[in-house]
């Protein structure tokens, strides 16, 4: 049974990446464009305001990149950092635990994106298309040994 689960792991990770990225991008779209209920129950975040507008841009762009699997590790690293900032600056001063301070989404997104930094995008990611092309173009070339920097 575990062998089947191990074979499906890249696809489960790819699905996890796509769902987390999509949900994160939805938060950014709501804040920037007022769709899906808008920012905090309606409206948009004023352009250029710190930190709300910048967070929304990171959410929209980072979430889209992660959902597609394009530059996943870097986008996930930035998204994780933005959610850590949101948790510690906005939520944690209210109370210690996320359940009490309303920071559950920030904490979950932070850790989910940090996981993607270490695991990579999984299957069905745009990154995989580029990495397979570079591997196939270099496979036909003869292997070159690195020159030694030490002179005798």
């Amino acid at each position: 049974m575990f062998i089947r689960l191990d074979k499906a792991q890249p696809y489960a990770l790819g699905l996890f990446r796509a769902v987390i990225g999509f949900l994160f991008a939805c938060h950014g779209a709501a804040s920037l464009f007022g769709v899906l209920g808008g920012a905090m129950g309606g409206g948009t975040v004023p352009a250029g305001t710190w930190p709300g507008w910048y967070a929304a841009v990171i959410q929209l762009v980072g979430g889209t990149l992660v959902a597609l699997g394009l530059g996943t590790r870097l986008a996930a690293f930035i998204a994780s950092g933005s959610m850590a900032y949101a948790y510690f600056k906005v939520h944690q001063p209210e109370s210690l635990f996320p359940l009490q301070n309303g920071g559950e989404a920030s904490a979950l997104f932070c850790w989910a994106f940090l996981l993607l930094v270490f695991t990579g995008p999984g299957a069905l990611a745009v990154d995989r298309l580029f990495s397979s092309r570079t591997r196939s173009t270099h496979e036909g070339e003869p292997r070159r040994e690195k020159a030694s920097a030490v002179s005798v």
Side-chain angles (χ1 to χ4, degrees), residues 30-55:
S31 297
L32 291 173
F33 308 120
V35 296
L36 304 170
M40 293 177 257
T44 61
V45 175
T49 57
W50 178 259
W53 185 82
Y54 293 94

Side-chain angles (χ1 to χ4, degrees), residues 67-142:
L68 294 173
L70 182 61
T72 304
R73 289 178 188 242
L74 179 60
F77 180 75
I78 293 169
S80 178
S82 74
M83 289 294 96
Y85 178 86
Y87 182 77
F88 287 110
K89 285 300 258 188
V90 177
H91 300 286
Q92 199 274 328
E94 298 294 321
S95 177
L96 179 62
F97 296 106
L99 186 60
Q100 294 173 323
N101 64 27
E104 293 151 309
S106 297
L108 285 171
F109 275 125
C110 178
W111 285 104
F113 285 123
L114 190 62
L115 177 67
L116 290 172
V117 170
F118 288 97
T119 61
L124 306 172
V126 174
D127 282 342
R128 300 280 184 213
L129 295 175
F130 295 123
S131 66
S132 66
R133 284 186 186 161
T134 45
R135 264 190 254 130
S136 65
T137 57
H138 294 300
E139 286 174 358
E141 295 176 7

